[in-house]
Amino acid sequence: MKEFIQAADFYRSLDDDEKNDLADAIAVDIFFLEDDLQEEIIEIMGIVDKRLASDIAKRNGFTI
């Protein structure tokens, strides 16, 4: 669980442009994965931050 806390702290330290860049990068990296795997990754990102998960989901056409 410590990893999620560290990731959440890092995410919160980013400015809005950096948060958007990170969401873009993750969305691109997982785009060609099977839908169920993308959804699982988005769910894990939601543990880090709900906004991050939502931004990734929107970019890849998922709803959460």
Side-chain angles (χ1 to χ4, degrees):
M1 209 55 166
K2 179 173 78 171
E3 295 82 6
F4 291 114
I5 293 169
Q6 291 171 333
D9 289 344
F10 171 76
Y11 183 77
R12 283 192 294 272
S13 75
L14 301 175
D15 64 33
D16 284 341
D17 288 335
E18 293 168 324
K19 287 177 180 177
N20 285 327
D21 289 345
L22 179 61
D24 282 339
I26 295 170
V28 167
D29 282 347
I30 68 171
F31 184 77
F32 291 105
L33 299 176
E34 297 288 332
D35 285 356
D36 59 333
L37 186 53
Q38 286 190 59
E39 290 172 346
E40 187 173 332
I41 292 168
I42 292 167
E43 184 178 317
I44 292 169
M45 291 298 107
I47 296 170
V48 173
D49 188 89
K50 297 293 184 200
R51 174 185 165 187
L52 177 59
S54 176
D55 288 348
I56 295 167
K58 286 177 191 172
R59 284 167 171 79
N60 285 8
F62 291 92
T63 56
I64 57 171

